[in-house]
Amino acid sequence: MAIVSIDQAKKALGSQLRVLRRQRGISARELAALAGWHESKCSKIENGKSMPSEADIRLWARLCHADDQADDLISAAAGIKDMYVQWRHMEITGLRSAQNKVLPVWENTTEFQAYSHSLIPGPLQTREYIRTVLTSIKVRRSLVDDVDAAVEARMRKQEFLHDSHRTFHILIEECVLRNRIGSPDIAVRQMARLVDISTLPNIELGIIPENGDTVVRDRMWPVEDFWIFDHRMVNVELVAAYMTFTTEHEVRLYEQAFSELSELAVFGKAARSLIATALKDTAGG
């Protein structure tokens, strides 16, 4: 889903540049010659096969007598590049910087929607759970050891949970409750924290049961973990990269997925009952 969206965005940008060229009344080969490029460059850009640089776009606009459109096109191109950020670039100076980069988005959001089928969502994690997850990431990606600082940066997100002006709608697959992260003691404390959080007035926590007799997954199956911010932006964490979607169409797709997943979830006492069962099973194991 994500890769297709990026390709569509690149093709849309290429289509806009094609319109400028055609309005100028010249062929792709003629534009390439005027710009001093290889004759295939224009075709690749227009078909979304390669991304133009800022200098490319400015030159393209100038040659097509459309300098007034250059800034908008450059902004569109920048947005496409921001959609896909490799972890190795985001975490080049360590995990703390990656945690801090997303804080401005949280600070400027009042309504959060989140779905997880793999881990307890970040702001709901205990300190020990956070440390276990971040330590694993540090080792897996061979990063500098700034886990202590990264833990503190992630803990800052938890302050938002107690802000009455912000609301959180969070869905978790029941299997997440049984995905043991760290020791049994860490898992037990994590389940207890979920119960406490579920009682906060500005947080709606839903659990999607595993029981096939309770939930029929013939329409909406588990998807990638995601966060939606104020109905305007979606963040998705992949193995290799951090994805950001901001177009109305993309955000709407994730909101639709969230709505359909919500129909499968249980809330309130029913959700806490599932958490309590998982806690009991973990403690007993």
Side-chain angles (χ1 to χ4, degrees), residues 15-184:
S15 178
Q16 289 179 276
L17 293 170
R18 181 186 295 112
V19 168
L20 294 187
R21 174 180 59 77
R22 288 178 174 173
Q23 289 176 340
R24 177 71 170 86
I26 57 177
S27 67
R29 179 173 294 181
E30 289 172 328
L31 179 57
L34 289 171
W37 299 334
H38 187 279
E39 63 180 21
S40 66
K41 181 170 180 173
C42 289
S43 177
K44 289 179 179 179
I45 290 174
E46 290 184 355
N47 290 293
K49 301 298 183 183
S50 65
M51 278 292 294
S53 66
E54 178 177 340
D56 291 338
I57 294 174
R58 288 203 181 280
L59 179 56
W60 190 301
R62 181 168 61 81
L63 294 173
C64 293
H65 298 174
D67 294 271
D68 59 325
Q69 297 187 47
D71 287 342
D72 287 342
L73 291 167
I74 289 169
S75 294
I80 295 170
K81 292 177 180 177
D82 289 342
M83 288 172 65
Y84 184 95
V85 181
Q86 292 184 337
W87 288 117
R88 64 190 181 93
H89 295 310
M90 194 170 182
E91 299 169 341
I92 193 167
T93 59
L95 286 164
R96 179 186 180 183
S97 62
Q99 295 296 319
N100 285 333
K101 283 178 182 176
V102 302
L103 278 176
V105 174
W106 285 69
E107 291 168 348
N108 292 305
T109 299
T110 57
E111 183 177 357
F112 300 78
Q113 295 169 282
Y115 164 80
S116 179
H117 81 290
S118 57
L119 296 173
I120 300 297
L124 310 189
Q125 297 171 1
T126 62
R127 182 181 293 273
E128 296 89 348
Y129 191 105
I130 292 172
R131 180 176 297 281
T132 302
V133 170
L134 294 183
T135 298
S136 175
I137 292 173
K138 175 191 74 71
V139 173
R140 186 191 321 148
R141 297 177 185 158
S142 301
L143 302 174
V144 298
D145 188 358
D146 67 343
V147 170
D148 288 345
V151 169
E152 295 306 317
R154 178 168 284 196
M155 288 293 293
R156 287 177 59 191
K157 290 181 181 178
Q158 300 194 2
E159 298 173 9
F160 298 113
L161 298 177
H162 302 282
D163 182 345
S164 61
H165 298 293
R166 304 179 198 271
T167 57
F168 292 81
H169 308 276
I170 299 175
L171 301 176
I172 303 175
E173 297 280 352
E174 185 181 1
C175 63
V176 174
L177 305 179
R178 305 180 188 282
N179 289 343
R180 183 176 295 178
I181 304 298
S183 68

Side-chain angles (χ1 to χ4, degrees), residues 173-174 208-218 264 274:
E173 297 280 352
E174 185 181 1
I208 301 175
E210 290 181 301
N211 191 330
D213 295 332
T214 303
V215 177
V216 179
R217 306 293 293 253
D218 59 352
L264 303 175
L274 290 177

Side-chain angles (χ1 to χ4, degrees), residues 105 227-235 244-247 251:
V105 174
W227 279 85
I228 305 174
F229 302 91
D230 279 340
H231 310 283
R232 59 181 171 79
M233 175 189 295
V234 179
N235 284 161
T244 300
F245 302 103
T246 57
T247 68
V251 173

